[in-house]
Amino acid sequence: MPHRADMYVLPQPRLDRIENYPETGEFMRAAVLGLGSAHPSVADVGGGAMPGLYADFVRQNNIDYALLDISQAELDKAPGYFRKIQVDLTAPSEDFSARVGQDKFDIVYSHFFLEHVQDPMVVHRNIHRALK
């Protein structure tokens, strides 16, 4: 008789596509629309080639959507419609603000990003500076 645990083998999720996490996309769309702004601004941290929101949704809702990524090569893979900012989120605050600005975004979003940085607190401080 097979071991009980072997009877319930679940497929492993793929971590390479936002489509594999539909609840994340739904949450982000609701959060942006919930702002009630005529021109909401969103920064997608580490979005690179895989923006968290689709270009059609961004266009239809007049969203200022910026991709922030350390890799210019990844940003170059993203659709041309998105604003792209090559920046190190762990940079000193002055350097980060010089590239991104301060008080710029209604929402700053990241997906599978913070586990890649040595000092998440620096990233949080920089994100805080970028938020309105």
Side-chain angles (χ1 to χ4, degrees):
M1 176 150 200
H3 187 271
R4 186 170 174 88
D6 294 334
M7 296 173 58
Y8 301 101
V9 177
L10 298 174
Q12 294 297 310
R14 291 185 51 201
L15 302 178
D16 61 340
R17 302 283 302 170
I18 192 73
E19 292 87 1
N20 290 312
Y21 301 91
E23 65 281 353
T24 303
E26 292 166 18
F27 170 80
M28 280 303 299
R29 287 187 295 274
V32 171
L33 295 177
L35 291 170
S37 173
H39 189 64
S41 56
V42 176
D44 185 340
V45 174
M50 302 294 291
L53 293 176
Y54 293 112
D56 288 345
F57 179 81
V58 170
R59 272 191 287 260
Q60 290 167 359
N61 293 285
N62 197 31
I63 300 168
D64 173 19
Y65 196 87
L67 298 169
L68 280 59
D69 203 296
I70 196 169
S71 171
Q72 187 62 50
E74 286 300 304
L75 289 169
D76 291 343
K77 295 176 189 176
Y81 180 78
F82 296 99
R83 187 159 55 105
K84 303 169 188 179
I85 302 172
Q86 191 273 324
V87 64
D88 181 352
L89 271 284
T90 64
S93 294
E94 300 77 26
D95 297 341
F96 176 82
S97 293
R99 302 222 17 106
V100 176
Q102 292 183 349
D103 305 319
K104 293 287 184 184
F105 299 103
D106 297 307
I107 294 175
V108 176
Y109 159 79
S110 71
H111 191 83
F112 296 119
F113 168 74
L114 283 174
E115 70 271 18
H116 299 287
V117 298
Q118 293 272 334
D119 188 357
M121 289 307 295
V122 172
V123 174
H124 286 288
R125 282 199 258 336
N126 284 334
I127 288 172
H128 186 262
R129 292 173 75 105
L131 283 166
K132 290 182 180 177

